[in-house]
Amino acid sequence: MSEIILINVSGEDQPGLTSSLMEILAEYNVGILDIGQAMIHDTLSLGILVEVPAQEDVSPVLKDVLFHLHDAGMQVRFTPINQEKYHHWVEGAGKPRHIITLLGRCVTAEQIARISAVVSSQGLNIEDIVRLSGRRPLHLEGRRSRACIELTVRGQPVDPDAMKRDFMEISKELDIDISFQEDNVYRRNRRMVAFDMDSTLIQQEVIDEMAKAAGAGEECSKVTEQAMRGEIDFRESLRKRVALLEGLSEETLQRVAESLTLTEGAQRLVRTVKSFGYVTAIISGGFTYFGRYLQEQLGIDYVYANDLEIQDGYLTGRVLGNIVDGPRKAELLREIAEQEGLALEQVIAIGDGANDLPMLRQAGLGIAFRAKPVVQESARQSISTLGLDGTLYLMGIKDTDTPDEDNSHH
């Protein structure tokens, strides 16, 4: 009967080590059942699960490996694996796989300790841990830094709702976002990103900026807040607020458009997904006028928003056509995906308000971005600690995979 041995190698990395080690194993016709390698600060950790054929004596194999690695200044450990343990490991491959992503300005031992405790209490097993963020210089602190690690876990949570509550509590207490996703084929094959505009793609609520210019800022903000909290119907709130803008000139709209600030990480996210060939869309309960302005700036493919009626260069205080509210946003998301020949599982939607929830639920990856607590609780994923480019981590994209950093949020 063949023998199964787990070989663990650690020490300072050196070129050609894997190659020379494999040459020794090849001489004895050794089979490789599993292999994994990690590099942390120039230190190599390599694990190889090998099967030594029945006709070979194990001792010479291990002796040759030991001498070779000892000469290279590496530590090595051999662990025999019995058949029962091996079969148990093989069966584990059938369990569902999930990805837990930790993202924030920095990652601490306390955060990982608390999250790991939740993971094990839910009957999940951590299989792999990788860092997605770049190597952080020590002087880079606070607002400019980004940190992200990704855990691969096996199994099905015992109580998904309790797990989500625990993760949300840790997020609030320790200033970190925690995402839990099924690791399926769609996660690595997203093809479209749809953005809400106000307070998501840009930092402002445009209608509030316009109302300020019309001298009705305070009145308008109150109605906006009620709508965002889901306390009043979005359509009704929009008509109320637009009525306050009657008589505002088109030049004022242009001035407001030029004063808009993109959200941290917006440029980097859009540029990255475009470089990967993604479709991009703005689906907003705001106004087409400003959506088009951003479309030109960022190279967005689709813009759907509300049309303001303008007569003789002035706003009439009315909205034209169908109002883009929550259900309409979800409908538009489906229409664009269908037009592009995409499954909804391949779509990412990002928004911050109650009227974004139908769209977020439709998408394969729906992200509540710096959202109100009620929206965060209802959405499957949320980002509050980083900019919009934190989305790339939830897609499993490393900093090293993306175009150069932009300075838009510095």
Side-chain angles (χ1 to χ4, degrees):
M1 196 189 286
S2 61
E3 290 200 44
I4 297 168
I5 311 282
L6 176 60
I7 305 173
N8 289 106
V9 182
S10 61
E12 197 167 327
D13 184 41
Q14 40 202 283
L17 185 82
T18 306
S19 162
S20 56
L21 183 55
M22 288 301 157
E23 279 171 18
I24 293 169
L25 295 173
E27 283 175 35
Y28 294 95
N29 301 312
V30 167
I32 306 293
L33 299 171
D34 196 14
I35 185 165
Q37 176 178 308
M39 279 289 300
I40 297 176
H41 201 266
D42 292 336
T43 298
L44 170 80
S45 181
L46 171 65
I48 315 168
L49 190 64
V50 302
E51 182 181 22
V52 181
Q55 65 271 24
E56 294 286 354
D57 181 6
V58 174
S59 305
V61 185
L62 302 189
K63 195 168 73 178
D64 283 3
V65 168
L66 182 64
F67 283 143
H68 176 68
L69 291 171
H70 184 72
D71 284 349
M74 307 295 282
Q75 306 285 318
V76 62
R77 193 173 80 240
F78 302 112
T79 313
I81 305 293
N82 63 37
Q83 298 285 332
E84 193 186 335
K85 205 171 176 187
Y86 178 73
H87 288 310
H88 181 70
W89 175 74
V90 169
E91 280 161 14
K95 289 183 182 173
R97 221 157 73 142
H98 293 88
I99 299 291
I100 298 174
T101 315
L102 285 60
L103 52 157
R105 296 299 174 186
C106 67
V107 172
T108 67
E110 187 185 0
Q111 292 161 350
I112 298 173
R114 293 272 303 273
I115 289 161
S116 306
V118 174
V119 167
S120 68
S121 72
Q122 287 290 338
L124 300 169
N125 191 41
I126 298 172
E127 279 200 348
D128 197 15
I129 303 178
V130 293
R131 171 175 53 83
L132 299 186
S133 48
R135 297 176 183 183
R136 183 171 71 89
L138 290 173
H139 66 271
L140 190 61
E141 293 297 338
R143 252 175 62 76
R144 288 176 56 196
S145 64
R146 282 194 305 264
C148 176
I149 62 170
E150 184 182 271
L151 315 179
T152 302
V153 300
R154 281 263 186 211
Q156 204 64 277
V158 177
D159 184 344
D161 292 338
M163 184 180 71
K164 183 172 180 176
R165 281 196 302 275
D166 289 344
F167 282 162
M168 285 191 81
E169 202 176 300
I170 297 168
S171 292
K172 286 181 190 125
E173 283 177 36
L174 302 182
D175 202 23
I176 191 163
D177 292 317
I178 307 162
S179 153
F180 182 82
Q181 305 175 62
E182 190 185 339
D183 187 22
N184 57 27
V185 67
Y186 292 114
R187 183 175 170 267
R188 295 177 295 280
N189 284 289
R190 310 282 187 209
R191 285 291 169 267
M192 172 178 153
V193 186
F195 297 92
D196 170 49
M197 180 169 65
D198 300 45
S199 297
T200 299
L201 194 56
I202 54 171
Q203 291 177 28
Q204 296 86 347
E205 285 287 330
V206 171
I207 198 158
D208 291 350
E209 300 305 306
M210 292 163 75
K212 278 178 209 164
E218 217 170 293
E219 204 178 331
C220 184
S221 286
K222 279 180 195 163
V223 187
T224 299
E225 273 299 305
Q226 285 177 296
M228 294 305 278
R229 288 195 299 265
E231 288 168 14
I232 58 168
D233 173 63
F234 180 78
R235 290 165 183 243
E236 180 200 338
S237 80
L238 188 77
R239 289 196 185 98
K240 267 189 184 176
R241 290 176 291 173
V242 172
L244 300 170
L245 307 177
E246 188 183 348
L248 209 60
S249 71
E250 220 171 326
E251 287 87 44
T252 309
L253 297 193
Q254 182 63 27
R255 274 204 308 281
V256 169
E258 285 165 5
S259 73
L260 299 177
T261 21
L262 288 169
T263 299
E264 175 196 351
Q267 254 171 317
R268 180 170 175 255
L269 174 57
V270 174
R271 193 174 60 229
T272 301
V273 297
K274 277 166 63 72
S275 75
F276 294 156
Y278 279 50
V279 175
T280 51
I282 290 172
I283 302 178
S284 169
F287 305 111
T288 313
Y289 185 97
F290 303 97
R292 297 253 178 264
Y293 179 83
L294 292 169
Q295 179 177 33
E296 212 168 289
Q297 232 182 317
L298 295 167
I300 302 280
D301 299 307
Y302 293 90
V303 173
Y304 288 100
N306 295 301
D307 291 320
L308 292 164
E309 185 178 57
I310 299 174
Q311 282 178 1
D312 306 323
Y314 293 90
L315 296 188
T316 64
R318 287 189 293 272
V319 183
L320 297 170
N322 286 339
I323 284 179
V324 178
D325 60 359
R328 179 71 183 137
K329 282 188 168 194
E331 204 178 300
L332 288 163
L333 189 82
R334 286 196 301 274
E335 282 175 19
I336 299 169
E338 206 172 301
Q339 202 171 318
E340 293 288 340
L342 300 174
L344 281 168
E345 287 87 351
Q346 292 178 283
V347 176
I348 298 167
I350 309 171
D352 71 302
N355 66 327
D356 293 310
L357 280 171
M359 169 170 90
L360 301 189
R361 287 183 189 130
Q362 286 271 290
L365 178 60
I367 301 167
F369 180 73
R370 295 182 183 174
K372 303 277 186 294
V374 63
V375 181
Q376 271 188 41
E377 281 158 29
S378 303
R380 286 197 300 274
Q381 312 297 342
S382 67
I383 295 178
S384 299
T385 60
L386 293 183
L388 273 176
D389 51 351
T391 302
L392 297 168
Y393 294 141
L394 299 195
M395 294 157 69
I397 294 171
K398 296 182 175 183
D399 282 352
T400 48
D401 299 333
T402 61
D404 290 337
E405 174 72 358
D406 75 87
N407 297 310
S408 60
H409 61 275
H410 291 177

